[in-house]
C-alpha cells in the first residue's frame, strides 16, 4: 500500500505543503504544475502579512525541498487531461507541454535569454515587464529550466548557437505520461479578477489605476521597476489609495462572497509604500475591515499608529481622472457628505476568483463546483473532500483563505490521502 | 588532524553568471597555489550532472578528503553537493561552499577585476576553513509509533482519528469527563444550522470506537519529558498515575470564553454572553415571552478592550444566534451592533446576507465609541452611536448579548512549561512560523491545532486537526528521525552550569542537568537546530558549534587578511 | 396595504451595509443634503422616513442601483416610500405649478375627445390600424409649454414618422393615446397609473398593432418594465434607436455623413434602466466620423437633473451644469440625446445662461432624419 502514490495538481503553497507531507511520510507522488515553475501566487508577492517576511525568501527553500525530494516527481508546464478509475486506483493522463529545451541538459545559466530577440510580456510580472522569448518565469524558478515562448519564437537559432549545453530543441513535442495513483489532491489556487468591466473605477482607461497584484510587482525589489512605485509618466507616488472589495461582495456579477485576504494585503502594501516612501500618504477605502486572523488586528494597529496609514470607511462610487492624470475618488464617509479624495495612484484590491480552466478540470476530475466555481465539498465539515471519493482539495480553490490557512489545508488534504495510502481507508468522514 | 589534507577546489563559471564577470580560470589557477590544495579545476556548470561527475571522479583520482565548491548559493545547492560527496564516499560535512555569485559576480558586475580579486579572497577563506573541517554524523533516533493528543475537542478528535486511520496508536487525553470540548456546549452550527448534538454524536462514536484510539477521560497531565520520537507523558487518570511513551504529541487544548466582568453591565441574567445564550437555546430555556428586543454587542472585550485581537468567530456566531431567534420569533426585533463585521470568505458573506433577509438589523459603531448599556426606569437601553448617520441610536433591550472573544485556558501556562513550548503575546500557543508552519511548534515532534493556537471556527479547527495529524504522521511513518549534524556541543570541563544557554534556546534542545561533576549543560542532538544562539551566549566559551567552530571561523577571518601564512610555495 | 417593512422586503433594502457607495455616486448627494443609504438605514432601524421633502428629490436615475454591490433596489425603494407618503397626502414640489400632473390626468379624465394629432403634417404618412404603432407620448404638449426654449419636441415625432416612412412603414398614431403614466408611477400614485396603463393597452390592442415604437425612453421603460407587472399584452415594444440599429445591420438604412464632432448623452431610462447603450451609438457612429465619448458615459452617465417634474431646484441646475460642462469638455459641437425630457431640461438651463454653453443639444431622431436627408425638419 505504501508504494501506491498520489497525484497533486497545483504547485502553489497548498499543493507543495501537501506534497511535502506525503513525501516525508514515505509516500511517492507526482506534482503537476501548469506553469513552468512551482511556487504559485506567493512567489509573486513582495512580502507577506502580518510578519512582513520576504515572500520568495521563505518560499524558495520550500520549493527546493519539494523539487529535490526523492519521493516527489515534479512535472511543470503540464496539465492533467484525463482520469479514470476510483479511489485506490486512479489512472491519470498528464500532458507535458514542450519547453523546446531539453530539461535534462539545461543548467539555467540564462545565456539563451540574453540573445533572444523576441520580447514577451511577463505574466509573472502582470504584464508590466517584457521578458526575453527564452525565459524562466522568475529568477528563483524551480526548476530553473528555461523555455522558449511557443507563439513568439522565430526559430532564429541564436539561442541554439550560444547554448553551452546544446539544450535547445525546436522540435520538441508535447508528451503524454500516465500515472497510477490512489488519491488525488487538487490545489489550483486562484486568479485575480480583471476589473476592466467595473467601469466606475477606470481600470485600463485611466493612466494610474492598477490592481493590487500589479502593485506587488512594482514594490518588489526584484520586480520590473526595482521596487519603485511609479506612475505611467515615470514619477514616483506621493499619495496613493487602495480601494477594497473591487468585484468582491458584489452581486452585480454574481460574486457576493468576500475574498478574505484583501484587507490585509492592502494594509501590507500601504506599509511597504511607507517604508519605501516615508513621506507618501496612504489611504485605504474599505467597507468592513477583515482583520480576523492571528496578528491581524495588531498589524492594522501598527499600520495606523506607526506608519500613519489612513483607513477611511466608505466605498467609492466613482473615480475621475484629472488632466494631470491624478485621480479624484468620490466617497461618502458619513451620510451627510460626499468627499473627494485626490491621489496620484489608485490600487484596486480586486476579488480573487477561481482559476481559469477550473471548469474544464472539474469536468475531467468528475468533481462538482459550486455556483461560484469553487470546489464543492461533500460535507461542509470535512474541509478537504470533494464530491468524488478519493479526490481531495486544498487551498484557495476550495474557498478564500490566506497562506497559513492554505498550508494547514494542504496538510489536511495530505492526511486524508495518507489515510487512503497508509491506512487503506476508503470510508467517508469521521 | 592525523591524515594529510588533500583539498579539491571546484570553481564554477555558471555560464556567464559568474564567468562573465569573474575570471574563473585565474581564480582556479590561484586556488591551486593555496596550502593543502592538491587539485583545482573550473567547471562550466558544477551543478550539472557532468559537473557533479567531475567532483566524484576527482575525489577518487586525487584521493581528496576535503572539497570546496565556489559557485552560487548554499541555500539552493548545498544539499546537492553534500549528497555528491557522500555518494563518492566522502563525509558530506567535509564539504565547504563558497558563494562567488550572489556575493561576488552579481553585486560587482561592473568591476570585473575587483570581483576576480574578491573571488580569490573568498576561495582562500573557504579553503582555510575547509582545512579545519571534521567529519560529522547525523544522529538517528527511533520513533515510538504512537501519538498523544492532548484535548478531545473537535480538533483533537479529528487529529486522533486521522492518525489512527493511518495505522498508529493514539492516546486521546481529556481533562473533562466527556469528549467534545467547547463545541458540546453550543446549540447549532453555522452556516448549516445543524444541531451540535447530532454533529458531535457521530464523531464521538467513531473516534472513541476506533480500535487504535485509547481514550483517557478525566485525565490531566503531570509531566512530560523526552524529545521527538521518545516522549514520556505522565498522566493523572482519575486519581491514578499512568505513564505513556509516544513518538509525537499534539496540543489541542482549546480555548474558553472571556468573562466580561464589569463590562456593559454584564450580570449573567439580562446581559449575557453568546455562550450563555446558546446554552439557553440548547435547553429551550430562552423565555421569549417577555422579550421584544434583543441587542447583541460585538467586540465586547476584544480589539483593544481587554484583549487586543479580533476573535474571528464572534460575528458569525452572533449572526447565527440572531438569525435563529428571529426566524423562530418573527415579532422580536434583533439588532447586532458591530464595528468591523467579520463575515469573511465564501459561505459567511452569504450567511450574513441570509440573516439580513430574515430581518436581523445591523448597526455599525466606530471603534472609539463603543455601545453603552444603561438602565432607565428599570429598563435596559443600549446606546449605539451610528457611525454612518453620526447619531446616537438608543435601543430598548429586553436581552443584551455580549459577543466576547475566546481566550486561552488558564492551564495552558503549565502545559507550555511542561512541553517547553511558547505562548504568544495573546497567550495562545505560538507556532513555529506564523505563515509557513501554522500547526508545528519550533520543537520537533510537538504539534498544535484548534483554538489553542488562536480563535477559529469549527471548519478551520477540523482542518488544523487533519493538518496536525499529517505533520505528526511523518515521523511516525518514517519510524526514525535524523538530526542534522550541525549541532552544538558542550565542553563540560569549561561549563559552569549557569543556564544562560538553556534560557535562550528556542528549541528546548540544551538543558542544565546534574552530573557527577555538578551542574552541566547537555545538548539533545536530535532537538538541536544548530542556530548558534547558545554558542554565542555562553560566557565561558564552553559551547562550540559543529561545523562552525571558533577555530574554523577564526581561520576563515584570518585568511581574509593574512595571505602569506596560507599560500604555499 | 403595503407597510414600510413590505417596501424593505420587496426592494431588498435589508441588504444595505451602509458602505456609502450609492451616496457617493448620487448626483443629489454630490451637491446637496441627500443620502440614499441614509434613508434606507433610517427605515431599517424603524426611524421615521416621512414626512421628508427629500423623499421627492430622488431622480430615480439608477446611479445608486448601478453602483450598489449588495443588491439594494433603491429607486424602487424610494417609489415605495412615495406611495406610502402619497397616501398621507404628502407630495413633492411639482414644477411649473403642477401643470404636468394635471395634464397627465387631463388626458383621460376629460370626457371630450382629444385632438392630439394636429402635429401630423401633410408629408407624413400615418394609419389608424396596422402592425407598427408609434407611441407619441407627451411631445405635443411639451412643444406648446416650452416653445420659448426652442425645444420643438414635436419635430422629434415628425422626424420619427419621416424615418419610418422612408423605411416603408406607415405607423399607426392614436388620437386616444393617454399619458404612459411614468411620472405618476414614480411619484407614488400607482392606482391612477394603472388606470392609464389599462387605457393605453386597450387602445393599442384595438389598432391591431404588433410592434410599438417609442421615441421617449420614459414611455418605453414604462411599457417595457412597469406595465407587465400589472397587465398582460402581447405587442412588442422597442425604442427607435434599437429599431434603427437593427435596420442598419440588415443594410436597410442609408445615412449621409455629417462632419461634425458629436457626443452622446445616455439618458437614465434608456441607459441604466434598460441597458441600451450600443444601439444609438451604432447609428450615430454611421452618421459622424468624429464621435467622441463624454467622460461619464454609458452606465456612468450623469442625469439631466430633474425627474417627474418634482423638486426641480438649484441642485438640479448644478447637476445640469456639470453634465453640460462635460459635454463641452469633449470638444463636440453637438450633444445628441435620445430623451425629450433631457432635451428640455438642458435647454432650460442653457436658456437662462445665454452664451455660456457653446454646444447644441440635438434629439437623436432629428439627427437621423437629417442624415437620411428627410426634408422639412424645423428645429426652430
Amino acid at each position: 500500500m505504501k508504494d501506491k502514490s498520489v497525484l497533486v495538481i497545483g504547485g502553489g503553497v497548498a499543493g507543495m505543503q501537501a506534497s511535502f507531507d506525503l513525501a516525508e511520510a514515505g509516500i511517492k507522488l507526482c506534482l503537476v504544475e501548469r506553469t513552468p515553475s512551482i511556487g504559485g501566487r506567493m512567489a509573486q508577492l513582495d512580502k507577506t502579512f502580518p510578519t512582513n517576511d520576504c515572500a520568495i525568501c521563505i518560499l524558495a527553500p520550500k520549493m527546493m525541498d519539494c523539487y529535490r525530494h526523492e519521493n516527489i516527481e515534479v512535472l511543470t508546464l503540464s496539465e492533467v487531461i484525463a482520469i479514470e478509475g476510483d479511489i485506490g486506483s486512479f489512472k491519470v493522463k498528464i500532458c507535458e507541454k514542450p519547453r523546446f529545451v531539453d530539461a535534462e541538459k539545461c543548467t539555467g545559466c540564462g545565456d539563451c535569454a540574453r540573445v533572444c530577440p523576441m520580447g514577451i510580456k511577463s505574466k509573472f510580472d502582470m504584464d508590466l515587464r517584457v521578458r526575453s522569448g527564452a525565459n524562466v518565469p522568475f529568477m528563483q524558478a524551480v526548476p530553473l529550466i528555461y523555455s522558449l515562448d511557443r507563439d513568439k519564437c522565430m526559430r532564429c537559432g541564436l539561442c541554439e548557437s550560444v547554448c553551452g549545453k546544446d539544450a535547445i530543441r525546436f522540435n520538441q513535442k508535447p508528451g503524454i505520461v500516465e500515472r497510477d495513483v490512489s488519491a488525488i489532491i487538487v490545489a489550483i489556487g486562484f486568479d485575480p479578477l480583471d476589473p476592466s468591466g467595473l467601469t466606475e473605477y477606470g481600470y485600463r482607461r485611466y493612466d494610474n489605476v492598477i490592481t493590487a497584484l500589479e502593485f506587488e510587482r512594482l514594490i518588489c525589489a526584484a520586480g520590473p521597476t526595482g521596487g519603485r512605485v511609479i506612475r505611467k509618466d515615470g514619477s514616483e507616488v506621493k499619495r496613493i489609495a487602495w480601494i477594497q472589495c473591487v468585484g468582491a461582495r458584489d452581486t452585480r456579477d454574481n460574486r457576493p462572497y468576500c475574498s478574505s485576504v484583501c484587507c490585509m494585503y492592502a494594509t501590507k502594501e500601504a506599509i511597504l509604500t511607507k517604508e519605501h516612501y516615508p513621506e507618501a500618504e496612504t489611504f485605504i477605502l474599505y467597507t468592513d475591515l477583515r482583520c480576523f486572523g492571528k496578528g491581524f488586528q495588531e498589524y492594522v494597529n501598527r499600520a495606523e499608529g506607526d506608519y500613519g496609514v489612513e483607513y477611511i470607511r466608505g466605498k467609492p462610487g466613482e473615480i475621475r481622472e484629472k488632466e494631470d492624470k491624478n485621480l479624484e475618488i468620490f466617497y461618502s464617509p458619513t451620510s451627510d457628505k460626499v468627499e473627494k479624495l485626490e491621489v496620484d495612484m489608485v490600487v484596486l484590491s480586486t476579488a480573487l476568483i477561481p482559476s481559469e480552466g477550473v471548469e474544464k478540470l472539474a469536468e475531467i476530475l468528475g468533481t462538482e463546483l459550486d455556483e461560484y466555481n469553487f470546489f464543492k465539498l461533500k460535507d461542509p465539515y470535512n474541509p478537504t473532500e470533494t464530491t468524488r471519493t478519493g479526490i481531495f482539495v486544498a487551498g484557495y480553490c476550495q474557498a478564500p483563505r490566506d497562506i497559513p490557512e492554505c498550508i494547514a489545508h494542504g496538510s489536511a488534504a495530505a492526511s486524508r490521502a495518507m489515510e487512503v495510502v497508509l491506512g487503506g481507508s476508503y470510508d467517508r468522514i469521521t | 588532524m592525523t591524515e594529510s589534507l588533500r583539498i579539491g577546489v571546484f570553481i564554477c563559471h555558471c555560464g556567464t553568471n559568474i564567468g562573465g564577470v569573474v575570471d574563473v580560470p585565474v581564480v582556479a589557477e590561484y586556488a591551486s597555489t593555496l596550502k593543502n590544495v592538491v587539485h583545482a579545476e573550473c567547471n562550466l556548470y558544477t551543478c550539472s550532472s557532468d559537473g557533479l561527475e567531475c567532483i566524484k571522479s576527482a575525489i577518487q583520482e586525487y584521493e581528496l578528503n576535503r572539497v570546496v565548491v565556489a559557485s552560487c548559493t548554499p541555500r539552493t545547492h548545498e544539499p546537492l553537493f553534500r549528497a555528491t560527496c557522500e555518494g563518492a564516499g566522502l563525509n558530506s560535512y567535509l564539504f565547504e561552499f563558497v558563494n562567488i555569485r550572489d556575493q561576488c559576480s552579481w553585486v560587482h558586475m561592473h568591476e570585473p577585476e575587483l570581483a576576480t580579486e574578491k573571488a580569490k579572497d573568498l576561495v582562500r577563506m573557504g579553503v582555510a576553513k575547509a582545512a579545519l573541517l571534521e567529519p560529522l554524523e547525523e544522529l538517528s533516533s527511533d520513533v515510538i509509533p504512537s501519538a498523544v493528543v492532548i484535548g478531545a475537542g473537535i480538533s483533537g478528535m479529528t487529529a486522533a482519528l486521522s492518525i489512527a486511520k493511518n495505522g498508529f496508536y493514539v492516546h486521546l487525553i481529556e481533562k473533562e469527563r466527556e469528549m467534545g470540548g467547547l463545541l458540546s456546549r453550543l446549540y447549532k452550527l453555522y452556516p448549516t444550522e445543524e444541531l451540535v448534538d447530532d454533529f458531535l454524536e457521530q464523531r464521538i462514536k467513531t473516534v472513541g470506537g476506533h480500535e487504535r484510539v485509547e481514550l483517557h477521560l478525566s485525565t490531566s497531565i503531570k509531566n512530560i519529558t523526552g524529545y521527538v520520537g521518545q516522549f514520556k507523558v505522565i498522566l493523572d487518570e482519575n486519581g491514578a498515575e499512568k505513564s505513556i511513551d509516544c513518538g509525537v504529541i499534539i496540543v489541542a487544548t482549546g480555548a474558553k470564553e472571556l468573562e466580561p466582568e464589569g463590562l456593559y453591565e454584564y450580570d449573567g441574567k439580562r446581559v449575557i454572553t453568546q455562550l450563555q445564550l446558546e446554552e439557553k437555546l440548547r435547553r429551550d430555556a430562552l423565555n421569549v415571552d417577555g422579550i421584544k428586543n434583543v441587542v447583541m454587542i460585538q467586540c465586547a472585550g476584544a480589539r483593544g478592550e481587554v484583549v487586543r485581537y479580533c476573535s474571528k468567530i464572534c460575528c458569525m456566531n452572533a449572526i447565527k444566534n440572531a438569525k435563529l431567534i428571529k426566524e423562530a420569533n418573527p415579532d422580536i426585533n434583533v439588532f447586532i451592533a458591530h464595528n468591523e463585521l467579520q463575515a469573511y470568505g465564501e459561505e459567511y458573506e452569504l450567511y450574513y446576507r441570509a440573516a439580513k433577509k430574515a430581518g436581523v438589523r445591523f448597526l455599525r459603531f466606530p471603534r472609539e465609541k463603543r455601545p453603552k448599556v444603561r438602565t432607565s426606569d428599570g429598563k435596559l437601553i443600549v446606546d449605539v452611536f451610528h457611525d454612518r448617520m453620526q447619531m446616537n441610536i438608543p435601543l430598548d433591550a429586553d436581552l443584551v448579548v455580549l459577543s466576547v472573544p475566546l481566550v486561552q485556558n488558564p492551564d495552558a501556562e503549565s502545559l507550555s512549561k511542561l512541553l517547553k513550548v511558547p505562548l504568544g503575546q495573546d497567550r495562545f500557543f505560538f507556532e513555529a512560523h506564523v505563515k509557513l508552519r501554522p500547526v508545528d511548534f519550533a520543537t520537533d515532534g510537538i504539534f498544535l491545532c484548534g483554538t489553542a493556537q488562536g480563535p477559529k471556527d469549527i471548519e478551520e479547527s477540523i482542518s488544523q486537526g487533519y493538518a496536525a495529524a499529517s505533520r505528526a504522521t511523518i515521523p511516525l511513518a518514517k519510524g526514525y528521525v535524523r538530526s542534522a549534524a550541525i549541532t552544538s556541543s558542550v565542553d563540560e570541563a569549561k561549563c559552569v552550569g549557569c543556564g544562560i544557554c538553556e534560557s535562550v534556546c528556542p528549541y528546548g534542545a540544551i538543558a542544565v542537568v546534574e552530573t557527577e561533576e555538578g551542574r552541566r549543560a547537555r545538548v539533545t542532538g536530535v532537538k538541536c537546530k544548530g542556530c548558534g544562539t547558545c554558542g554565542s551566549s555562553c560566557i565561558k566559551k564552553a559551547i562550540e558549534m559543529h561545523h562552525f567552530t571558533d577555530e574554523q571561523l577564526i581561520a576563515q577571518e584570518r585568511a581574509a587578511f593574512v595571505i602569506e601564512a596560507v599560500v604555499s610555495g | 396595504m403595503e407597510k414600510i417593512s413590505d417596501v424593505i422586503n420587496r426592494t431588498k433594502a435589508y441588504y444595505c451595509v451602509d458602505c456609502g457607495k450609492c451616496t457617493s455616486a448620487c448626483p443629489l448627494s454630490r451637491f446637496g443634503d441627500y443620502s440614499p443609504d441614509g434613508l434606507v438605514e433610517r427605515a431599517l432601524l424603524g426611524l421615521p422616513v416621512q414626512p421628508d421633502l427629500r423623499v421627492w428629490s430622488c431622480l430615480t436615475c439608477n446611479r445608486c442601483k448601478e453602483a450598489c454591490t449588495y443588491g439594494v433596489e433603491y429607486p424602487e425603494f424610494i417609489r415605495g416610500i412615495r406611495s406610502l407618503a402619497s397616501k398621507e397626502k404628502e407630495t413633492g414640489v411639482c414644477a411649473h405649478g403642477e401643470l404636468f400632473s394635471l395634464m397627465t390626468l387631463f388626458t383621460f379624465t376629460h370626457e371630450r375627445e382629444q385632438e392630439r394629432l394636429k402635429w401630423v403634417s401633410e408629408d407624413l404618412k400615418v394609419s389608424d390600424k396596422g402592425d407598427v404603432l408609434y407611441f407619441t407620448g407627451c411631445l405635443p404638449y411639451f412643444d406648446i409649454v416650452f416653445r420659448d426654449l426652442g425645444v420643438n419636441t414635436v419635430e422629434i415625432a415628425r422626424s420619427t414618422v419621416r424615418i419610418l416612412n422612408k423605411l416603408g412603414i406607415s405607423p399607426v398614431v392614436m388620437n386616444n393615446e393617454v399619458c404612459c403614466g411614468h411620472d405618476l408611477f414614480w411619484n407614488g400614485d400607482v392606482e391612477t397609473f394603472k388606470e392609464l396603463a389599462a387605457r393605453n393597452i386597450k387602445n393599442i390592442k384595438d389598432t391591431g398593432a404588433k410592434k410599438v415604437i417609442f421615441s421617449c425612453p420614459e414611455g418605453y421603460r414604462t411599457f417595457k418594465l412597469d406595465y407587465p407587472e400589472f397587465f398582460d399584452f402581447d405587442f412588442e415594444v422597442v425604442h427607435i434607436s434599437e429599431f434603427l440599429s437593427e435596420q442598419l445591420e440588415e443594410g436597410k438604412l442609408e445615412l449621409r455623413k455629417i462632419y461634425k464632432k458629436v457626443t452622446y448623452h445616455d439618458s437614465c431610462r434608456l441607459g441604466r434602466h434598460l441597458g441600451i447603450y450600443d444601439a444609438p451609438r451604432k447609428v450615430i457612429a454611421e452618421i459622424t466620423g468624429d464621435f467622441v465619448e463624454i467622460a461619464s458615459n454609458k452606465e456612468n452617465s450623469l442625469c439631466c437633473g430633474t425627474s417627474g417634474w418634482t423638486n426641480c431646484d438649484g441642485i438640479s441646475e448644478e447637476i445640469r451644469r456639470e453634465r453640460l460642462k462635460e459635454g463641452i469638455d469633449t470638444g463636440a459641437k453637438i450633444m445628441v440625446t435620445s430623451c425629450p425630457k433631457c432635451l428640455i431640461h438642458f435647454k432650460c438651463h442653457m436658456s437662462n445662461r445665454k452664451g455660456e454653453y457653446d454646444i447644441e443639444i440635438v434629439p437623436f431622431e432629428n439627427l437621423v432624419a437629417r442624415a437620411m436627408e428627410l426634408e422639412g425638419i424645423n428645429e426652430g
Side-chain angles (χ1 to χ4, degrees), chain A residues 108-405:
Chain A
C109 72
D111 284 348
C112 53
R114 280 182 266 278
V115 301
C116 174
M118 301 313 290
I120 54 155
K121 282 198 179 154
S122 162
K123 267 187 82 175
F124 182 83
D125 285 315
M126 306 305 291
D127 288 356
L128 295 175
R129 168 153 49 185
V130 172
R131 281 199 182 283
S132 167
N135 63 76
V136 281
F138 53 103
M139 286 323 292
Q140 303 90 340
V142 170
L144 193 67
I145 299 174
Y146 278 70
S147 28
L148 308 185
D149 184 274
R150 184 184 29 179
D151 298 321
K152 286 280 186 89
C153 178
M154 290 189 311
R155 301 242 183 148
C156 66
L158 279 170
C159 50
E160 199 170 29
S161 61
V162 301
C163 178
K165 288 297 194 177
D166 185 28
I168 304 292
R169 299 276 175 278
F170 289 116
N171 294 320
Q172 205 175 62
K173 297 265 177 293
I176 309 280
V177 299
E178 292 190 14
R179 296 285 175 269
D180 293 331
V181 297
S182 294
I184 299 173
I185 298 177
V186 187
I188 60 170
F190 62 85
D191 282 342
L193 174 74
D194 178 343
S196 314
L198 300 167
T199 53
E200 64 261 47
Y201 295 130
Y203 181 70
R204 286 202 217 283
R205 281 187 301 131
Y206 301 154
D207 282 1
N208 298 309
V209 175
I210 63 174
T211 64
L213 204 47
E214 288 168 352
F215 178 88
E216 237 10 89
R217 296 315 301 149
L218 291 180
I219 198 117
C220 181
T225 57
R228 292 170 58 227
V229 183
I230 52 174
R231 300 174 5 126
K232 194 157 182 197
D233 60 15
S235 60
E236 286 180 322
V237 290
K238 299 194 191 59
R239 278 168 70 94
I240 175 169
W242 279 259
I243 308 214
Q244 303 307 107
C245 308
V246 172
R249 298 185 78 189
D250 194 336
T251 51
R252 301 173 301 173
D253 254 327
N254 200 31
R255 249 174 271 109
Y257 53 84
C258 160
S259 292
S260 247
V261 299
C262 327
C263 287
M264 293 309 292
Y265 74 54
T267 300
K268 170 195 66 177
E269 291 183 350
I271 289 177
L272 294 179
T273 305
K274 287 291 232 181
E275 285 183 343
H276 286 229
Y277 305 103
E279 301 303 314
E281 289 177 80
T282 52
F283 307 91
I284 298 179
L285 289 95
Y286 72 97
T287 306
D288 284 293
L289 201 71
R290 301 264 146 100
C291 50
F292 49 80
K294 198 163 186 176
F296 291 7
Q297 181 65 57
E298 294 87 327
Y299 192 60
V300 169
N301 295 347
R302 264 180 67 205
E304 258 186 323
D306 298 348
Y307 289 92
V309 173
E310 215 179 303
Y311 287 90
I312 297 176
R313 194 199 185 234
K315 192 164 186 182
E318 190 178 0
I319 298 182
R320 292 190 188 172
E321 188 179 55
K322 294 180 69 186
E323 275 206 45
D324 55 5
K325 304 302 181 184
N326 277 7
L327 299 138
E328 272 179 339
I329 304 171
F330 290 88
Y331 69 99
S332 172
T334 54
S335 53
D336 57 346
K337 49 182 183 262
V338 174
E339 305 263 17
K340 237 184 341 188
L341 178 68
E342 185 176 331
V343 295
D344 46 42
M345 180 181 273
V346 166
V347 182
L348 302 177
S349 297
T350 59
L352 304 176
I353 58 178
S355 303
E356 194 194 314
V358 66
E359 280 160 332
K360 182 147 169 271
L361 182 63
E363 215 186 319
I364 292 172
L365 293 174
T367 53
E368 283 174 44
L369 300 175
D370 68 17
E371 66 175 300
Y372 308 111
N373 275 353
F374 290 101
F375 279 86
K376 208 175 183 175
L377 295 175
K378 209 180 253 183
D379 158 12
Y381 299 109
N382 237 293
T384 57
E385 270 192 72
T386 65
T387 51
R388 183 168 178 181
T389 311
I391 301 191
F392 304 100
V393 61
Y396 208 105
C397 64
Q398 188 270 315
R401 37 170 68 88
D402 66 1
I403 289 169
E405 287 171 337

Side-chain angles (χ1 to χ4, degrees), chain C residues 184-200:
Chain C
L184 281 173
F185 187 60
W186 284 100
N187 283 337
D189 186 355
V190 183
E191 294 312 309
T192 315
F193 158 76
K194 277 156 64 174
E195 293 189 53
L196 287 169
R199 187 76 68 92
N200 271 330

Side-chain angles (χ1 to χ4, degrees), chain C residues 130-262:
Chain C
D131 280 348
V132 179
L133 187 144
Y134 171 51
F135 190 91
T136 321
C138 303
L139 295 174
Y141 293 92
F142 297 152
D143 203 73
I144 299 169
V145 176
F146 296 111
R147 189 150 285 172
D148 56 325
L149 295 181
V151 291
N152 288 80
T153 48
V154 144
E155 277 311 311
I156 297 174
R158 292 197 182 116
S159 295
T160 309
V161 175
R162 284 193 186 105
I163 292 166
L164 292 173
N165 286 167
K166 184 80 189 272
L167 293 169
I169 300 171
S170 250
V172 178
V173 288
M174 300 193 299
N175 194 45
N176 53 4
E177 222 182 72
V178 295
C179 174
C180 65
H182 172 277
D183 291 352
L184 281 173
F185 187 60
W186 284 100
N187 283 337
D189 186 355
V190 183
E191 294 312 309
T192 315
F193 158 76
K194 277 156 64 174
E195 293 189 53
L196 287 169
R199 187 76 68 92
N200 271 330
I201 290 170
K202 179 184 176 306
N203 291 347
I204 293 174
K205 278 187 178 157
D206 285 348
T207 67
K210 301 224 175 33
K211 191 200 274 272
V212 179
I213 299 187
F214 291 81
S215 53
C216 174
E218 293 196 335
Y220 179 39
R221 182 244 142 83
T222 310
F223 268 76
K224 185 147 187 164
L225 299 181
D226 306 317
Y227 278 22
E229 254 187 78
F230 305 98
F231 301 99
D232 285 320
F233 53 89
D234 53 14
F235 49 81
E236 190 199 330
V237 292
V238 68
H239 188 258
I240 185 71
S241 64
E242 288 180 293
F243 181 72
L244 292 177
S245 173
E246 267 170 47
Q247 297 289 307
L248 188 64
E249 251 168 76
E250 289 169 24
K252 295 190 188 148
L253 204 58
E254 268 172 44
L255 299 165
R256 167 179 72 89
K257 285 259 189 275
I258 295 177
Y259 293 100
K260 274 195 173 166
K261 206 179 200 122
V262 174

